[in-house]
Amino acid sequence: MSVVLVTGGSRGIGRAIVEEFADAGHQVAFTYAGSRDAAESLRDRALPVQADVRDFARAQEVVAEVETALGPLDVLINNAGIKRDGALYSMAEDAWRDVIETNLNGTFNYCRAVTRNLIRRKGAIINITSVSGITGMAGQTNYSASKAGIIGLTKALAREVARFGVRVNAIAPGFIDTDMTSAMDENVRKKLYAQIPMGEPGTARQIARAALYLASPDAAYITGHVLTLDGGLS
Ligand code: NAP
């Protein structure tokens, strides 16, 4: 049984990850930004902690709170993320900043807060990136840059900590049915889904199962890897 921290566990993929790890018998804590009711509805299975991933100092507090409540951390899953799509030529500066600060800086903040602890436990980090960070996606320069940055961070950190027995991997989902994708314009969504060779979007549960695998001893020799789950999209 491991102690697991998931960022952005209140909804979508993060919520499925919380449920999957809890069901597998792990002790799970998760952060959320504003969805208090959704977060509290998981309290019988996992420990909710309100925290904005953009806040560097808060990340260290969260890790200390979680370790006090559940014991030393074994696994960190950086999942919290947002998108603010639009063509670059008219992109507001704050649309660029918000996405980079949440997705990329947020991932840095939590990796930074746990890495020393994970060295003591020979733990694992899993960062949720995106196919958008591998292939690029029109209208998502901010999001693609943040997700490509996460891949670079993952590979570099994997090299830094491999000798201590800590593994760092990423999962790159394609289109997954969550609030993030349902917020898209219906026609745009249909056109995007038509490009998926397997013909349909994936599920949050499929991503959660992949995270469970990467965190498990079965994946003991996998590090610095980006696992795509995209129905063939990339
Ligand atoms: P979602 O349904 O919109 O959920 C986002 C989660 O992140 C929520 O729990 C949200 O908390 C949390 N969050 C957002 N900003 C935060 C902040 N500043 N601090 C702390 N938590 C924050 O998104 P999703 O579709 O599940 O996506 C999860 C991850 O997968 C993201 O990194 C996303 O980029 C990636 N991804 C998704 C897809 C897809 O097709 N859905 C594809 C590729 C990659 P609140 O509920 O409190 O707002």
Side-chain angles (χ1 to χ4, degrees), residues 8-9 11 21 30 35 53 56 65 70 103 113 118 124 128 133 138 172 190 195 206-207 212 221:
R11 290 184 289 120
F21 276 77
F30 66 95
S35 304
V53 289
F56 177 82
E65 280 173 32
L70 304 180
N103 299 0
L118 291 190
I128 307 299
K190 275 191 185 147
Q195 295 167 22
Q206 289 164 340
I207 306 302
L212 193 63
Y221 201 51

PDB file of all heavy atoms in Angstrom, residues 8-9 11 21 30 35 53 56 65 70 103 113 118 124 128 133 138 172 190 195 206-207 212 221:
ATOM      1  N   GLY A   8      -5.378  18.185  -8.515  1.00  0.00           N
ATOM      2  CA  GLY A   8      -6.584  18.318  -9.340  1.00  0.00           C
ATOM      3  C   GLY A   8      -7.406  17.044  -9.347  1.00  0.00           C
ATOM      4  O   GLY A   8      -7.759  16.522 -10.412  1.00  0.00           O
ATOM      5  N   GLY A   9      -7.753  16.567  -8.140  1.00  0.00           N
ATOM      6  CA  GLY A   9      -8.464  15.287  -8.048  1.00  0.00           C
ATOM      7  C   GLY A   9      -9.972  15.409  -7.934  1.00  0.00           C
ATOM      8  O   GLY A   9     -10.666  14.404  -7.770  1.00  0.00           O
ATOM      9  N   ARG A  11     -12.245  16.504 -10.175  1.00  0.00           N
ATOM     10  CA  ARG A  11     -13.066  16.251 -11.377  1.00  0.00           C
ATOM     11  C   ARG A  11     -12.253  15.477 -12.410  1.00  0.00           C
ATOM     12  O   ARG A  11     -11.035  15.401 -12.320  1.00  0.00           O
ATOM     13  CB  ARG A  11     -13.513  17.579 -11.991  1.00  0.00           C
ATOM     14  CG  ARG A  11     -14.521  18.322 -11.157  1.00  0.00           C
ATOM     15  CD  ARG A  11     -15.010  19.598 -11.837  1.00  0.00           C
ATOM     16  NE  ARG A  11     -13.999  20.633 -11.889  1.00  0.00           N
ATOM     17  CZ  ARG A  11     -13.523  21.169 -12.994  1.00  0.00           C
ATOM     18  NH1 ARG A  11     -13.981  20.782 -14.168  1.00  0.00           N
ATOM     19  NH2 ARG A  11     -12.596  22.110 -12.953  1.00  0.00           N
ATOM     20  N   PHE A  21      -6.883   4.540  -7.463  1.00  0.00           N
ATOM     21  CA  PHE A  21      -5.846   4.234  -6.461  1.00  0.00           C
ATOM     22  C   PHE A  21      -6.491   3.864  -5.120  1.00  0.00           C
ATOM     23  O   PHE A  21      -6.013   2.970  -4.424  1.00  0.00           O
ATOM     24  CB  PHE A  21      -4.872   5.410  -6.292  1.00  0.00           C
ATOM     25  CG  PHE A  21      -3.764   5.411  -7.322  1.00  0.00           C
ATOM     26  CD1 PHE A  21      -3.999   5.826  -8.619  1.00  0.00           C
ATOM     27  CD2 PHE A  21      -2.490   4.984  -6.993  1.00  0.00           C
ATOM     28  CE1 PHE A  21      -2.987   5.820  -9.580  1.00  0.00           C
ATOM     29  CE2 PHE A  21      -1.461   4.968  -7.941  1.00  0.00           C
ATOM     30  CZ  PHE A  21      -1.715   5.394  -9.236  1.00  0.00           C
ATOM     31  N   PHE A  30      -5.668  14.375  -2.318  1.00  0.00           N
ATOM     32  CA  PHE A  30      -5.699  15.107  -3.591  1.00  0.00           C
ATOM     33  C   PHE A  30      -5.971  16.587  -3.341  1.00  0.00           C
ATOM     34  O   PHE A  30      -6.579  16.961  -2.346  1.00  0.00           O
ATOM     35  CB  PHE A  30      -6.754  14.532  -4.544  1.00  0.00           C
ATOM     36  CG  PHE A  30      -8.172  14.714  -4.072  1.00  0.00           C
ATOM     37  CD1 PHE A  30      -8.942  15.792  -4.490  1.00  0.00           C
ATOM     38  CD2 PHE A  30      -8.743  13.810  -3.183  1.00  0.00           C
ATOM     39  CE1 PHE A  30     -10.240  15.972  -4.051  1.00  0.00           C
ATOM     40  CE2 PHE A  30     -10.046  13.975  -2.731  1.00  0.00           C
ATOM     41  CZ  PHE A  30     -10.804  15.055  -3.162  1.00  0.00           C
ATOM     42  N   SER A  35     -13.610  23.449  -6.528  1.00  0.00           N
ATOM     43  CA  SER A  35     -14.774  22.552  -6.494  1.00  0.00           C
ATOM     44  C   SER A  35     -14.898  21.846  -5.146  1.00  0.00           C
ATOM     45  O   SER A  35     -14.703  20.628  -5.036  1.00  0.00           O
ATOM     46  CB  SER A  35     -14.662  21.493  -7.591  1.00  0.00           C
ATOM     47  OG  SER A  35     -14.522  22.090  -8.841  1.00  0.00           O
ATOM     48  N   VAL A  53      -2.372  25.004  -7.426  1.00  0.00           N
ATOM     49  CA  VAL A  53      -1.060  24.439  -7.798  1.00  0.00           C
ATOM     50  C   VAL A  53      -0.058  25.507  -8.221  1.00  0.00           C
ATOM     51  O   VAL A  53       1.145  25.246  -8.259  1.00  0.00           O
ATOM     52  CB  VAL A  53      -1.142  23.371  -8.937  1.00  0.00           C
ATOM     53  CG1 VAL A  53      -1.781  22.090  -8.441  1.00  0.00           C
ATOM     54  CG2 VAL A  53      -1.817  23.908 -10.180  1.00  0.00           C
ATOM     55  N   PHE A  56       3.762  28.130  -5.072  1.00  0.00           N
ATOM     56  CA  PHE A  56       4.966  27.341  -4.753  1.00  0.00           C
ATOM     57  C   PHE A  56       5.027  26.976  -3.269  1.00  0.00           C
ATOM     58  O   PHE A  56       5.229  25.804  -2.914  1.00  0.00           O
ATOM     59  CB  PHE A  56       6.208  28.156  -5.145  1.00  0.00           C
ATOM     60  CG  PHE A  56       7.520  27.496  -4.819  1.00  0.00           C
ATOM     61  CD1 PHE A  56       8.073  26.536  -5.663  1.00  0.00           C
ATOM     62  CD2 PHE A  56       8.221  27.835  -3.672  1.00  0.00           C
ATOM     63  CE1 PHE A  56       9.290  25.922  -5.362  1.00  0.00           C
ATOM     64  CE2 PHE A  56       9.440  27.226  -3.361  1.00  0.00           C
ATOM     65  CZ  PHE A  56       9.970  26.278  -4.208  1.00  0.00           C
ATOM     66  N   GLU A  65       1.239  18.525   5.161  1.00  0.00           N
ATOM     67  CA  GLU A  65      -0.093  18.162   5.706  1.00  0.00           C
ATOM     68  C   GLU A  65      -0.438  16.712   5.368  1.00  0.00           C
ATOM     69  O   GLU A  65      -0.933  15.961   6.215  1.00  0.00           O
ATOM     70  CB  GLU A  65      -1.195  19.047   5.083  1.00  0.00           C
ATOM     71  CG  GLU A  65      -1.323  20.419   5.700  1.00  0.00           C
ATOM     72  CD  GLU A  65      -2.323  21.300   4.909  1.00  0.00           C
ATOM     73  OE1 GLU A  65      -3.300  20.771   4.347  1.00  0.00           O
ATOM     74  OE2 GLU A  65      -2.089  22.523   4.846  1.00  0.00           O
ATOM     75  N   LEU A  70      -1.269  11.010   6.491  1.00  0.00           N
ATOM     76  CA  LEU A  70      -1.277   9.661   5.897  1.00  0.00           C
ATOM     77  C   LEU A  70       0.047   8.907   5.986  1.00  0.00           C
ATOM     78  O   LEU A  70       0.088   7.706   5.729  1.00  0.00           O
ATOM     79  CB  LEU A  70      -1.690   9.740   4.411  1.00  0.00           C
ATOM     80  CG  LEU A  70      -3.029  10.406   4.078  1.00  0.00           C
ATOM     81  CD1 LEU A  70      -3.268  10.379   2.568  1.00  0.00           C
ATOM     82  CD2 LEU A  70      -4.181   9.726   4.801  1.00  0.00           C
ATOM     83  N   ASN A 103      -0.242  24.663 -15.557  1.00  0.00           N
ATOM     84  CA  ASN A 103       0.171  23.343 -16.051  1.00  0.00           C
ATOM     85  C   ASN A 103       1.660  23.070 -15.807  1.00  0.00           C
ATOM     86  O   ASN A 103       2.010  22.018 -15.263  1.00  0.00           O
ATOM     87  CB  ASN A 103      -0.125  23.227 -17.550  1.00  0.00           C
ATOM     88  CG  ASN A 103      -1.612  23.380 -17.855  1.00  0.00           C
ATOM     89  OD1 ASN A 103      -2.431  23.571 -16.964  1.00  0.00           O
ATOM     90  ND2 ASN A 103      -1.969  23.317 -19.127  1.00  0.00           N
ATOM     91  N   ALA A 113       8.433  19.985  -4.382  1.00  0.00           N
ATOM     92  CA  ALA A 113       8.038  19.769  -2.988  1.00  0.00           C
ATOM     93  C   ALA A 113       8.229  18.316  -2.541  1.00  0.00           C
ATOM     94  O   ALA A 113       8.402  18.063  -1.354  1.00  0.00           O
ATOM     95  CB  ALA A 113       6.579  20.197  -2.783  1.00  0.00           C
ATOM     96  N   LEU A 118      10.623  11.587  -1.903  1.00  0.00           N
ATOM     97  CA  LEU A 118      10.495  10.375  -2.719  1.00  0.00           C
ATOM     98  C   LEU A 118      11.814   9.622  -2.814  1.00  0.00           C
ATOM     99  O   LEU A 118      11.833   8.394  -2.959  1.00  0.00           O
ATOM    100  CB  LEU A 118       9.963  10.713  -4.110  1.00  0.00           C
ATOM    101  CG  LEU A 118       8.511  11.194  -4.193  1.00  0.00           C
ATOM    102  CD1 LEU A 118       8.050  11.249  -5.642  1.00  0.00           C
ATOM    103  CD2 LEU A 118       7.566  10.319  -3.386  1.00  0.00           C
ATOM    104  N   ALA A 124       7.673   7.317  -6.940  1.00  0.00           N
ATOM    105  CA  ALA A 124       7.429   7.546  -8.369  1.00  0.00           C
ATOM    106  C   ALA A 124       6.616   8.818  -8.587  1.00  0.00           C
ATOM    107  O   ALA A 124       5.782   9.184  -7.756  1.00  0.00           O
ATOM    108  CB  ALA A 124       6.673   6.353  -8.958  1.00  0.00           C
ATOM    109  N   ILE A 128       0.819  14.280 -15.895  1.00  0.00           N
ATOM    110  CA  ILE A 128      -0.155  14.188 -16.990  1.00  0.00           C
ATOM    111  C   ILE A 128       0.141  15.314 -17.988  1.00  0.00           C
ATOM    112  O   ILE A 128      -0.051  16.497 -17.701  1.00  0.00           O
ATOM    113  CB  ILE A 128      -1.610  14.284 -16.478  1.00  0.00           C
ATOM    114  CG1 ILE A 128      -1.880  13.251 -15.363  1.00  0.00           C
ATOM    115  CG2 ILE A 128      -2.580  14.085 -17.659  1.00  0.00           C
ATOM    116  CD1 ILE A 128      -1.730  11.793 -15.730  1.00  0.00           C
ATOM    117  N   GLY A 133       1.079  18.355 -26.520  1.00  0.00           N
ATOM    118  CA  GLY A 133       2.472  18.708 -26.243  1.00  0.00           C
ATOM    119  C   GLY A 133       3.454  17.919 -27.092  1.00  0.00           C
ATOM    120  O   GLY A 133       4.648  18.212 -27.107  1.00  0.00           O
ATOM    121  N   ALA A 138      -3.337  23.371 -33.232  1.00  0.00           N
ATOM    122  CA  ALA A 138      -3.676  24.750 -33.593  1.00  0.00           C
ATOM    123  C   ALA A 138      -4.655  25.316 -32.564  1.00  0.00           C
ATOM    124  O   ALA A 138      -5.567  24.612 -32.119  1.00  0.00           O
ATOM    125  CB  ALA A 138      -4.300  24.787 -34.985  1.00  0.00           C
ATOM    126  N   ALA A 172       0.409  10.847 -21.774  1.00  0.00           N
ATOM    127  CA  ALA A 172      -0.099  11.823 -22.738  1.00  0.00           C
ATOM    128  C   ALA A 172      -1.448  11.345 -23.272  1.00  0.00           C
ATOM    129  O   ALA A 172      -1.503  10.538 -24.210  1.00  0.00           O
ATOM    130  CB  ALA A 172       0.890  11.995 -23.885  1.00  0.00           C
ATOM    131  N   LYS A 190     -16.661  17.585 -32.630  1.00  0.00           N
ATOM    132  CA  LYS A 190     -16.975  16.511 -33.585  1.00  0.00           C
ATOM    133  C   LYS A 190     -15.860  16.351 -34.618  1.00  0.00           C
ATOM    134  O   LYS A 190     -15.465  15.237 -34.955  1.00  0.00           O
ATOM    135  CB  LYS A 190     -18.304  16.803 -34.286  1.00  0.00           C
ATOM    136  CG  LYS A 190     -19.494  16.326 -33.482  1.00  0.00           C
ATOM    137  CD  LYS A 190     -20.764  16.386 -34.299  1.00  0.00           C
ATOM    138  CE  LYS A 190     -21.958  16.027 -33.420  1.00  0.00           C
ATOM    139  NZ  LYS A 190     -23.164  16.743 -33.789  1.00  0.00           N
ATOM    140  N   GLN A 195     -10.942  12.743 -36.169  1.00  0.00           N
ATOM    141  CA  GLN A 195      -9.534  12.461 -36.515  1.00  0.00           C
ATOM    142  C   GLN A 195      -8.941  11.305 -35.701  1.00  0.00           C
ATOM    143  O   GLN A 195      -7.810  10.894 -35.922  1.00  0.00           O
ATOM    144  CB  GLN A 195      -8.673  13.703 -36.244  1.00  0.00           C
ATOM    145  CG  GLN A 195      -9.002  14.900 -37.115  1.00  0.00           C
ATOM    146  CD  GLN A 195      -8.336  16.167 -36.593  1.00  0.00           C
ATOM    147  OE1 GLN A 195      -7.350  16.114 -35.881  1.00  0.00           O
ATOM    148  NE2 GLN A 195      -8.898  17.307 -36.944  1.00  0.00           N
ATOM    149  N   GLN A 206      -9.537   4.920 -18.235  1.00  0.00           N
ATOM    150  CA  GLN A 206      -8.405   4.332 -18.957  1.00  0.00           C
ATOM    151  C   GLN A 206      -7.094   5.017 -18.571  1.00  0.00           C
ATOM    152  O   GLN A 206      -6.058   4.361 -18.420  1.00  0.00           O
ATOM    153  CB  GLN A 206      -8.626   4.444 -20.485  1.00  0.00           C
ATOM    154  CG  GLN A 206      -9.718   3.510 -20.983  1.00  0.00           C
ATOM    155  CD  GLN A 206     -10.218   3.880 -22.373  1.00  0.00           C
ATOM    156  OE1 GLN A 206     -10.040   5.008 -22.851  1.00  0.00           O
ATOM    157  NE2 GLN A 206     -10.872   2.938 -23.029  1.00  0.00           N
ATOM    158  N   ILE A 207      -7.153   6.337 -18.395  1.00  0.00           N
ATOM    159  CA  ILE A 207      -5.942   7.073 -17.990  1.00  0.00           C
ATOM    160  C   ILE A 207      -5.559   6.658 -16.561  1.00  0.00           C
ATOM    161  O   ILE A 207      -4.390   6.449 -16.247  1.00  0.00           O
ATOM    162  CB  ILE A 207      -6.184   8.606 -18.055  1.00  0.00           C
ATOM    163  CG1 ILE A 207      -6.702   9.016 -19.449  1.00  0.00           C
ATOM    164  CG2 ILE A 207      -4.907   9.359 -17.698  1.00  0.00           C
ATOM    165  CD1 ILE A 207      -5.812   8.662 -20.602  1.00  0.00           C
ATOM    166  N   LEU A 212      -2.053   3.812 -12.591  1.00  0.00           N
ATOM    167  CA  LEU A 212      -1.906   2.757 -11.577  1.00  0.00           C
ATOM    168  C   LEU A 212      -0.778   1.799 -11.990  1.00  0.00           C
ATOM    169  O   LEU A 212       0.049   1.395 -11.173  1.00  0.00           O
ATOM    170  CB  LEU A 212      -3.230   2.001 -11.435  1.00  0.00           C
ATOM    171  CG  LEU A 212      -3.383   1.084 -10.230  1.00  0.00           C
ATOM    172  CD1 LEU A 212      -3.322   1.854  -8.916  1.00  0.00           C
ATOM    173  CD2 LEU A 212      -4.718   0.327 -10.308  1.00  0.00           C
ATOM    174  N   TYR A 221      11.044  -0.859 -14.138  1.00  0.00           N
ATOM    175  CA  TYR A 221      12.187  -0.532 -15.016  1.00  0.00           C
ATOM    176  C   TYR A 221      11.819   0.544 -16.035  1.00  0.00           C
ATOM    177  O   TYR A 221      12.525   0.777 -16.998  1.00  0.00           O
ATOM    178  CB  TYR A 221      12.676  -1.815 -15.705  1.00  0.00           C
ATOM    179  CG  TYR A 221      14.096  -1.737 -16.213  1.00  0.00           C
ATOM    180  CD1 TYR A 221      15.139  -1.316 -15.390  1.00  0.00           C
ATOM    181  CD2 TYR A 221      14.406  -2.082 -17.527  1.00  0.00           C
ATOM    182  CE1 TYR A 221      16.433  -1.237 -15.859  1.00  0.00           C
ATOM    183  CE2 TYR A 221      15.702  -2.018 -18.011  1.00  0.00           C
ATOM    184  CZ  TYR A 221      16.717  -1.593 -17.166  1.00  0.00           C
ATOM    185  OH  TYR A 221      18.006  -1.524 -17.632  1.00  0.00           O
TER     186      TYR A 221
END
